[in-house]
Amino acid sequence: MVCGGDSKVGDISSIIDVQGIIQDWAWDTFIKDIGYFRRCFIRRKDFVIDVPMNYYQFSHSDAVLEGLNIKSDSKTAPEIGEGMPNTSILATDYHNDTDMEQVYNFRMERARKASVSVTFQKGFTIGGTANFSVCGVDCGLEAKLEVTKTTEQTFEEVLTFETSCEIKVKENTNCEAKVIFTEKEMSYRFTVETTMRMPSGKAPVYIRRKKDKKVMMSWKIQDLRHIFHKYKEEKDPDRKVDFVRETIMLNGREYNNYAIKLTTKGLVEGTKLSSQVVELHAKGIDKKIVPEKKNDVKSPKRKENSVKGNV
């Protein structure tokens, strides 16, 4: 008979769940404290391990973006992290073959959509939910991408372009109005540093029995190092965390505390909307010159009088 509660399968994922780590620590402590004989009848599925995450604060650094090389058949080399722009052109022709200037109303409205996907291979979750953001004005991400999914998360951007103007077309002229839209492919590798700390210097944990909600055991965590020490010594760099020594003020006194530094890495890929340009091109109409017909006036024939003489 195997005692000690439910057996656990070793986790080798590069994405660690900080709430799950605290729950595992609480359960292991609970099993050790209840004694050998009682633990033979304890099953983890019969209990709820409550870790209130509002006692923890997560602060994120700005994302560091590294452009990936995108292969392109074009001779023009794109910027690092950006592919060659895709271009779409909408054109309208105005034909004025009169001898007077004509005025036309030009109006265009179009909704443009682009999407960016974020995936990460290394990092952390809170109860299975991601918690970090990616932003980079230099690569076209003007708004923060708040990532909450552990799978690929897609963000869409919709931009409405509208223009309205009068176009004067001179006499005997063709005019072409073009609206040129461009968008660029982007691919970046990102890194975000997150610091997990306890602002109040302590955080509670409760183990409750499911059938009657009774609290079987509770703790107040005062040092995160005791819980995350295994990940501090982790040989796999993708699962390794660092400790950060900090000083906190409680009741007017200074206390040393340790925060956890977590690193999240992944990819951000997609398209970003680029420019829109309105161009006008005018060209004169070639008219074929028809030669004028000349009216030939024939002069009347003169009668020649021949005078015959004798030689």
Side-chain angles (χ1 to χ4, degrees), residues 168-211:
K168 295 181 180 180
V169 182
K170 293 182 178 181
E171 60 276 9
N172 299 314
T173 301
N174 276 330
C175 183
E176 182 183 46
K178 285 184 179 180
V179 182
I180 304 171
F181 301 99
T182 58
E183 60 184 29
K184 292 183 178 180
E185 295 182 359
M186 55 182 293
S187 182
Y188 290 88
R189 183 180 291 111
F190 70 85
T191 302
V192 176
E193 298 288 348
T194 301
T195 302
M196 174 185 176
R197 56 173 60 90
M198 295 184 297
S200 63
K202 55 187 176 181
V205 182
Y206 307 96
I207 291 186
R208 293 186 175 92
R209 195 160 51 196
K210 282 185 178 179
K211 64 179 182 179

Side-chain angles (χ1 to χ4, degrees), residues 36-258:
Y36 177 80
F37 291 103
R38 285 188 61 195
R39 75 181 65 166
C40 294
F41 304 97
I42 294 295
R43 293 294 178 265
R44 184 167 174 172
K45 64 180 181 180
D46 298 326
F47 297 84
V48 175
I49 306 173
D50 186 9
V51 180
M53 296 306 296
N54 56 308
Y55 285 86
Y56 300 92
Q57 180 188 68
F58 295 85
S59 58
H60 312 283
S61 68
D62 292 335
V64 177
L65 296 163
E66 177 187 357
L68 299 177
N69 292 325
I70 299 179
K71 295 182 180 180
S72 175
D73 295 333
S74 174
K75 294 181 180 179
T76 304
E79 296 180 7
I80 295 178
E82 294 185 355
M84 295 302 297
N86 297 319
T87 303
S88 61
I89 300 176
L90 299 177
T92 303
D93 290 325
Y94 299 95
H95 182 75
N96 180 14
D97 59 356
T98 69
D99 293 332
M100 297 179 60
E101 182 180 78
Q102 300 292 331
V103 179
Y104 300 90
N105 291 321
F106 175 78
R107 185 178 183 278
M108 178 174 290
E109 181 177 348
R110 181 176 179 180
R112 305 176 62 194
K113 183 170 70 174
S115 62
V116 175
S117 298
V118 178
T119 56
F120 69 107
Q121 298 84 30
K122 174 190 176 182
F124 73 100
T125 58
I126 303 173
T129 301
N131 177 26
F132 65 93
S133 60
V134 179
C135 181
V137 177
D138 293 340
C139 69
L141 300 178
E142 297 181 359
K144 280 189 176 182
L145 306 180
E146 301 290 344
V147 183
T148 58
K149 296 181 180 180
T150 56
T151 56
E152 181 180 287
Q153 187 167 349
T154 301
F155 301 85
E156 290 188 347
E157 175 189 11
V158 178
L159 176 65
T160 300
F161 171 78
E162 182 178 355
T163 183
S164 179
C165 62
E166 288 186 345
I167 296 179
K168 295 181 180 180
V169 182
K170 293 182 178 181
E171 60 276 9
N172 299 314
T173 301
N174 276 330
C175 183
E176 182 183 46
K178 285 184 179 180
V179 182
I180 304 171
F181 301 99
T182 58
E183 60 184 29
K184 292 183 178 180
E185 295 182 359
M186 55 182 293
S187 182
Y188 290 88
R189 183 180 291 111
F190 70 85
T191 302
V192 176
E193 298 288 348
T194 301
T195 302
M196 174 185 176
R197 56 173 60 90
M198 295 184 297
S200 63
K202 55 187 176 181
V205 182
Y206 307 96
I207 291 186
R208 293 186 175 92
R209 195 160 51 196
K210 282 185 178 179
K211 64 179 182 179
D212 56 5
K213 309 299 181 184
K214 180 181 178 181
V215 176
M216 304 300 296
M217 193 169 289
S218 64
W219 301 268
K220 285 187 178 179
I221 299 173
Q222 296 181 332
D223 194 339
L224 290 173
R225 291 179 299 174
H226 298 319
I227 300 172
F228 289 88
H229 68 90
K230 181 178 73 172
Y231 296 90
K232 169 66 176 177
E233 301 170 357
E234 177 68 59
K235 294 182 180 180
D236 185 350
D238 290 337
R239 290 171 54 81
K240 187 178 178 65
V241 303
D242 292 320
F243 296 155
V244 181
R245 183 175 179 178
E246 298 180 333
T247 301
I248 61 174
M249 293 292 297
L250 294 175
N251 301 322
R253 296 181 60 183
E254 289 187 354
Y255 293 90
N256 290 327
N257 200 358
Y258 285 86

